[in-house]
Amino acid sequence: MDFYGIELSSRLLLGTARYPSPKILEAAVRASRAEIVTVSLRREGGEQRAGQAFWSFISELGIRVLPNTAGCHSVKEAVTTAHMARELFGTTWIKLEVIGEADTLQPDVFGLVEAARILTEDGFDVFPYTTEDLVVAERLLEAGCRILMPWGAPIGSARGLNNIFGLRAMRAHFPDVPLVIDAGLGLPSHAAAAMELGYDAVLLNTAIAEAGDPVRMAEAFALAVDAGRLAHAASPMEPRDMAAPSTPVVGKAILA
């Protein structure tokens, strides 16, 4: 798997918020085998994370950091936060979020495209949190994005893949673009379903962080992502309307 020229073996990306403790977060990251963690500059920079101490802890994990603009509701906010993240983490990677609706945390796709264009022109490698809308996806690619991150469902909702048709259409429409399901997954089976659709990776946070046992759940998601990817590569059979016997009738003994 290739993200902006970086080869990765893990197809599971993890958020770092809402874990019971740094120790559990570290253990969950290890169990997930993730090679990328996302960090919110606005959220994690608050008093509850003790600022620089948290950044130091994240850097000690020894894996790639994908800063994000979580909590930003305008283009100006998102662009400013992205520049701060580049200064702090020394990376051109940015997960771009521009939230447009408070209840669902749905992206403001108009602001998202504008912010993506500004940031790519300024040398950023943008990972846009978007919807499954194909027109918006085209505009993001035109703006310079080389990866798309459609939501599965609203952030933290654990509802899984709300629009299978739309997500399948996006995969078919952009066969050569890395696609990552971002947000809304609650169970390992949701992650497996995303991979079975042909998506390249999944990104999640709450489903692991708020599980009764985050470490076991991280391992479960890692296994589910692997299983889903293998199933997709194996070209699964198509659903049928009628039964098809698995045992052939020819040669079957007939008792009089």
Side-chain angles (χ1 to χ4, degrees):
M1 182 176 63
D2 182 307
F3 288 166
Y4 287 105
I6 302 298
E7 288 291 335
L8 301 159
S9 58
S10 173
R11 296 178 182 272
L12 178 58
L13 290 67
L14 290 190
T16 56
R18 309 179 73 92
Y19 284 83
S21 70
K23 183 177 180 180
I24 292 176
L25 167 58
E26 179 180 7
V29 170
R30 303 299 184 204
S32 73
R33 306 192 302 277
E35 295 175 274
I36 298 174
V37 294
T38 65
V39 178
S40 169
L41 192 67
R42 293 168 62 90
R43 181 188 298 122
E44 308 300 354
E47 292 180 3
Q48 73 273 22
R49 290 294 189 177
Q52 190 60 46
F54 185 69
W55 312 139
S56 298
F57 167 74
I58 291 297
S59 66
E60 289 170 2
L61 292 176
I63 59 179
R64 185 171 291 272
V65 173
L66 174 61
N68 69 43
T69 63
C72 293
H73 289 75
S74 71
V75 172
K76 183 178 180 180
E77 266 189 306
V79 170
T80 300
T81 301
H83 280 89
M84 292 171 63
R86 183 164 65 179
E87 287 279 328
L88 180 59
F89 293 106
T91 179
T92 56
W93 282 18
I94 190 73
K95 180 192 168 193
L96 180 61
E97 297 183 27
V98 182
I99 301 302
E101 205 281 318
D103 290 332
T104 62
L105 300 180
Q106 180 170 328
D108 170 0
V109 294
F110 305 102
L112 181 67
V113 171
E114 182 182 350
R117 180 170 287 108
I118 292 170
L119 291 172
T120 53
E121 289 176 354
D122 196 29
F124 282 88
D125 299 317
V126 177
F127 295 66
Y129 164 61
T130 184
T131 66
E132 66 276 20
D133 188 292
L134 299 182
V135 178
V136 175
E138 290 278 12
R139 298 295 181 269
L140 287 167
L141 295 175
E142 290 170 3
C145 298
R146 290 163 51 192
I147 183 171
L148 298 170
M149 304 180 74
W151 64 349
I155 294 171
S157 67
R159 298 185 63 85
L161 306 180
N162 273 357
N163 184 0
I164 296 289
F165 172 82
L167 293 171
R168 184 179 286 114
M170 177 174 272
R171 178 70 284 175
H173 198 72
F174 303 105
D176 301 320
V177 176
L179 299 180
V180 180
I181 293 293
D182 178 11
L185 304 186
L187 294 170
S189 57
H190 298 158
M195 302 305 292
E196 287 168 6
L197 288 178
Y199 276 70
D200 295 282
V202 298
L203 191 161
L204 59 139
N205 186 165
T206 312
I208 291 178
E210 295 192 357
D213 188 333
V215 179
R216 284 187 175 181
M217 188 61 79
E219 183 179 5
F221 269 99
L223 294 171
V225 167
D226 288 346
R229 183 67 184 180
L230 284 171
H232 174 73
S235 299
M237 62 177 286
E238 295 293 328
R240 298 167 174 154
D241 291 330
M242 302 293 289
S246 57
T247 302
V249 175
V250 177
K252 182 179 178 181
I254 299 176
L255 300 178

